[in-house]
Amino acid sequence: MLIPYYNMLLSHDYNSRRSSAASQTRNLRMTVLKNLFKKMTVSGLTLRKALPVLIVAAFCSFFLLVYWYDSSDSAKPSSMMPAYNSHVVEGNFGNPAAGDNGRGSAIPIYPIERTWTYKCVNNRCVRHHFVNGVEEDFESSSSNHPQSPAHGAGSSSSSTSTNPAAGKRIPYLTCTMTCGPINIWPQPTGSTSIGSKTSRFRLSDVRLKIVTDFPAVEQLLRDAYDVMRAEVRGMMVAHGASLEEIEGAVPASSVPSMLLPLTVQQQQQRRAGSEENESGASRMPSEGGEAGKRSSTPDAGVGKIHFFKLVSDKRYDVDAFEVNIHVEKSSVTFLTLHTDESYNMTVTHSARVLMVKISANTFFGAKHGLTTLQQLIWFDDEERTLKILNKASIEDVPKFNYRGLMLDTSRHYFTVDAIKRTIVGMSHSKLNRFHWHITDSQSFPLVSRHYPQLARYGAYSEREVYTPEDVRELAAFAKVRGVQIIPEIDAPAHAGNGWDWGPKHGLGELSLCINQQPWNNYCGEPPCGQLNPKNNHTYAILQSLYAELLEAVGPLDYFHIGGDEVNLECWQQNFNDSDMRTLWCDFMLQAYHRLQLASGGQNATVTPKLAGVWSSGLTNAPCLSKNTFAVQVWGGSKWPENFQLINAGYSLVISHVDAWYLDCGFGSWRTTGEGACSPYRNWQTVYKHRPWDEMKLTSLQMRQILGGEVCLWTEQVDESILDARLWPRASALAERLWTDPVEERYSESVPLEVYNRMSVFRNHLLELGLRAEPIFPKYCAQNQDECV
């Protein structure tokens, strides 16, 4: 029967989100109950005979119902916030048929500005009143106000422009995408030319073609393309698009007759090529345009909505939207410190065919090309269609290979969904390293297969943990989005809760100074704890943790082993006969050795060639080889350690506290000691910081700068405010590390065009489901350049 198949396809294509594990369980229980009650519908005689069975069944039903309601909670919190970003995390989108209410608990995207229209004047969008279909401030003839050139030359016979016509409102997004500087974040680094003309298209017309000799690369590219499509759908839903607008089709008046069961006569007529249909139901046009015919090839119409009639082509400018991706050089599917992330992209439009070609040497370069392509697409809320800039040529390559974001999940626990949301923001900003500071002295949320005691004694609760499956899921989620997860188990300091079970299990003291008072004598913040450098069991546990993490996240040539804020006083009271600096050197060298063993040593295909460590007064010790250790510099940009480490030959990842620490500026969280840094680092501070220029590094010394990283320590951050603390400030770092613009070098302020692009990109993050903080009042967005 085809009717159930029809319903199944509709459900598959248009369900607002995948059912959660809990809802799947409830559905299963409901099915069991339905089957049970069906079996109870019997004749009177059978009923009397089966009375004992029915009584037992009634009791079973009662207990099933009780179990149904009592066990609906999941084993772990899926999120501490509403699932407003499910179309991002799960690759689905809200119920399109619900129109403006399709996102349910979604964050509000700016409503349609029906009283305003915009015109491009002198490369900026100017706002005017639009009342009852009339632009009050515009002359009736658009010839009196010629549109300023936008982006560069670009034309198409089937394109729209931002010149307002009578009764036609120009939305701000359409204006700003076609007027003034190129709205891509981060800004491309190479030769770039983008036209100002647009093409309207249906999402269902987009087709993908991949040219590569590497199956693993091809699969990743297909997955990345599917993510892009899902996010574009989610963006349309965020703007209240209906199902018809999303698919470029309208519902048929009834079930298409071709999907109804056929009689023998109908089957004979169908085999004879007849187009007659006895049901009289509306016919669906085929891809060739003839009504009532099915495609003769099984692949024809893939991606179309088969149960809807396509909207008239007059509403759209293209019949086909072809995305061609070429990756012909590298089969590598994991990032290294030397991965080529460059790409070239062209967009052309001719004869109602829109052609996009992305060429790259690696999957990661091609993924960045898809990200840029997605930024050229938007939803016009007046014409209710997707639009794209239809002429472009872009050459792009990042200035720095390491573009990171660090999140601390020890001071507060963050759900897997929240981390995924962070990775989505990173991907669209072209940040590529998620530095996961998993553990600290406050909690140990990582569940180890070999040492489950660490989480059992160290997690905040049995629900606030990360299982090996969680880590693998996050790594796979990040990989498709061009992001690599770099895990960190901080050691030897910042190791308290979770390490206190050694004596109970015959392993001795794994960590010292745990919860010792007064805490400010033994650590930087409570509670204290520092690993025991003379207990071999400590190193064995670290090796096991390293092996589990490497197995879960995939090959890494850079791994972070901690080394932050070692307190020599803690060790001194236990090993007063030892040289503390030598003891620290021995620990770090032993940790690195264990890391090599965990990765497979000489037999491994990829081993971490560099171990990252936090900078401190100990990191410039001569015991740490510059060939095996890289230093993450977190101190002030003027601190002497910057020059000392460069002069010593170390490779650096820069995270200066006075520019790239995103937790600063919210006051002290305790009454003793220095509990906070200040002031607040706004996005302009993040953007303007260019330490290699301030340090006046030579071209040879610049090779030692691997890149940079923003850090979010979470003493005063939990999931409820995570997005606002990160975005769009982390995106400001992304352009600094990808593009490293120099035109504002001697200026105290950020250029005007950067403000406009940042405002547009911040709205793009909102469309993706991220609660990015605003950069200025909405008036300033509506009135470009007036506020800055």
Side-chain angles (χ1 to χ4, degrees), residues 380-521:
D380 187 302
D381 60 34
E382 174 70 11
E383 298 189 43
R384 310 300 297 174
T385 63
L386 288 173
K387 288 186 175 181
I388 183 174
L389 295 171
N390 61 26
K391 185 175 183 180
S393 176
I394 300 173
E395 297 176 1
D396 207 3
V397 59
K399 293 294 182 68
F400 294 94
N401 191 276
Y402 189 107
R403 306 178 303 281
L405 181 154
M406 190 223 75
L407 178 64
D408 161 29
T409 60
S410 171
R411 272 73 179 204
H412 279 96
Y413 174 82
F414 296 86
T415 63
V416 170
D417 282 353
I419 297 176
K420 284 182 176 180
R421 207 164 58 241
T422 300
I423 291 171
V424 168
M426 293 181 62
S427 175
H428 284 267
S429 304
K430 297 189 175 76
L431 294 170
N432 64 352
R433 259 80 177 190
F434 177 67
H435 177 181
W436 189 2
H437 187 88
I438 306 177
T439 69
D440 214 286
S441 60
Q442 286 83 358
S443 75
F444 198 108
L446 180 67
V447 177
S448 166
R449 293 196 307 272
H450 298 97
Y451 297 98
Q453 301 94 331
L454 291 164
R456 187 180 305 151
Y457 286 87
Y460 288 129
S461 73
E462 68 276 10
R463 300 179 69 199
E464 295 172 280
V465 295
Y466 304 106
T467 66
E469 291 74 22
D470 291 333
V471 179
R472 281 193 289 271
E473 179 183 348
L474 284 169
F477 183 90
K479 187 175 185 178
V480 173
R481 289 158 177 80
V483 176
Q484 182 183 66
I485 292 181
I486 298 176
E488 178 197 352
I489 305 295
D490 206 352
H494 294 268
N497 287 284
W499 293 93
D500 52 356
W501 51 271
K504 298 178 183 179
H505 292 76
L507 300 183
E509 296 289 350
L510 300 173
S511 187
L512 307 171
C513 312
I514 297 178
N515 297 321
Q516 189 163 346
Q517 296 292 337
W519 62 264
N520 51 358
N521 289 342

Side-chain angles (χ1 to χ4, degrees), residues 57-112:
F59 276 102
C60 292
S61 300
F62 173 78
F63 286 115
L64 279 172
L65 287 170
V66 172
Y67 176 68
W68 179 4
Y69 286 105
D70 287 347
S71 61
S72 60
D73 289 338
S74 59
K76 288 180 58 181
S78 61
S79 179
M80 297 179 184
M81 297 174 62
Y84 63 86
N85 63 316
S86 61
H87 64 275
V88 175
V89 173
E90 301 294 347
N92 295 313
F93 55 100
N95 183 4
D100 290 337
N101 298 321
R103 301 186 80 216
S105 59
I107 62 173
I109 300 297
Y110 287 148
I112 300 175

Side-chain angles (χ1 to χ4, degrees), residues 185 429 662 680 683 686 723-734 758-759 761-762 765 771-775:
W185 194 282
S429 304
L662 303 185
Y680 178 78
W683 74 268
V686 175
D723 292 358
R725 290 289 173 90
L726 285 176
W727 311 107
R729 292 189 293 164
S731 302
L733 175 83
M758 173 59 85
S759 176
F761 185 73
R762 184 258 176 178
L765 294 175
R771 294 177 179 264
E773 66 179 2
I775 67 171

Side-chain angles (χ1 to χ4, degrees), residues 186-191 337 339-343 368 395-403 430 432-433 690 692 702-708 733-743 745:
Q187 193 174 45
T189 58
S191 174
L337 294 174
T339 297
D340 183 350
E341 297 178 82
S342 65
Y343 70 92
H368 295 317
E395 297 176 1
D396 207 3
V397 59
K399 293 294 182 68
F400 294 94
N401 191 276
Y402 189 107
R403 306 178 303 281
K430 297 189 175 76
N432 64 352
R433 259 80 177 190
R690 199 166 183 260
W692 37 89
M702 280 294 294
R703 298 180 184 178
Q704 296 173 234
I705 307 298
L706 301 178
L733 175 83
E735 180 153 298
R736 172 54 55 209
L737 297 176
W738 181 280
T739 313
D740 191 26
V742 298
E743 62 272 13
R745 181 185 305 177

Side-chain angles (χ1 to χ4, degrees), residues 89-360:
V89 173
E90 301 294 347
N92 295 313
F93 55 100
N95 183 4
D100 290 337
N101 298 321
R103 301 186 80 216
S105 59
I107 62 173
I109 300 297
Y110 287 148
I112 300 175
E113 301 170 4
R114 300 196 185 279
T115 57
W116 299 106
T117 189
Y118 295 84
K119 184 177 181 181
C120 186
V121 178
N122 296 326
N123 281 331
R124 61 187 292 266
C125 291
V126 178
R127 183 182 73 164
H128 291 273
H129 255 126
F130 186 83
V131 180
N132 297 325
V134 177
E135 306 96 333
E136 289 189 348
D137 297 311
F138 288 143
E139 298 290 343
S140 59
S141 173
S142 60
S143 61
N144 294 333
H145 295 273
Q147 182 180 348
S148 301
H151 303 327
S155 62
S156 172
S157 59
S158 59
S159 302
T160 62
S161 72
T162 60
N163 282 325
K168 181 179 179 183
R169 178 180 61 88
I170 305 300
Y172 173 77
L173 189 55
T174 295
C175 180
T176 195
M177 288 299 295
T178 56
C179 176
I182 299 167
N183 268 301
I184 296 176
W185 194 282
Q187 193 174 45
T189 58
S191 174
T192 300
S193 174
I194 298 181
S196 62
K197 303 301 182 180
T198 65
S199 293
R200 301 163 298 180
F201 69 95
R202 293 178 286 238
L203 186 59
S204 56
D205 284 329
V206 184
R207 297 290 183 273
L208 174 68
K209 180 180 179 182
I210 298 173
V211 178
T212 184
D213 295 329
F214 314 115
V217 171
E218 180 176 357
Q219 185 58 54
L220 273 179
L221 287 171
R222 292 193 182 280
D223 292 343
Y225 169 77
D226 289 342
V227 168
M228 186 189 79
R229 281 183 62 100
E231 288 178 341
V232 171
R233 287 186 177 191
M235 175 262 291
M236 298 179 73
V237 173
H239 286 280
S242 66
L243 179 59
E244 302 93 296
E245 291 163 345
I246 290 174
E247 295 300 340
V250 296
S253 59
S254 64
V255 178
S257 59
M258 66 182 66
L259 296 176
L260 296 174
L262 302 179
T263 64
V264 175
Q265 181 181 2
Q266 287 174 328
Q267 293 175 1
Q268 294 172 347
Q269 292 174 340
R270 179 63 55 84
R271 285 194 295 269
S274 173
E275 297 182 3
E276 295 296 330
N277 191 316
E278 294 182 2
S279 67
S282 301
R283 295 174 176 176
M284 180 186 70
S286 68
E287 294 215 67
E290 295 182 78
K293 289 186 178 180
R294 286 194 191 186
S295 172
S296 60
T297 60
D299 293 332
V302 172
K304 298 283 187 183
I305 301 303
H306 296 281
F307 310 111
F308 289 75
K309 289 186 174 182
L310 295 180
V311 172
S312 170
D313 286 342
K314 294 180 180 179
R315 184 175 174 182
Y316 300 95
D317 301 315
V318 300
D319 296 322
F321 186 153
E322 300 180 9
V323 179
N324 299 290
I325 305 178
H326 294 249
V327 178
E328 302 181 18
K329 182 176 180 180
S330 174
S331 62
V332 176
T333 57
F334 56 89
L335 274 171
T336 72
L337 294 174
H338 304 287
T339 297
D340 183 350
E341 297 178 82
S342 65
Y343 70 92
N344 294 333
M345 184 174 74
T346 59
V347 181
T348 57
H349 182 188
S350 177
R352 295 184 65 83
V353 175
L354 191 69
M355 181 75 68
V356 176
K357 181 177 180 181
I358 299 172
S359 300

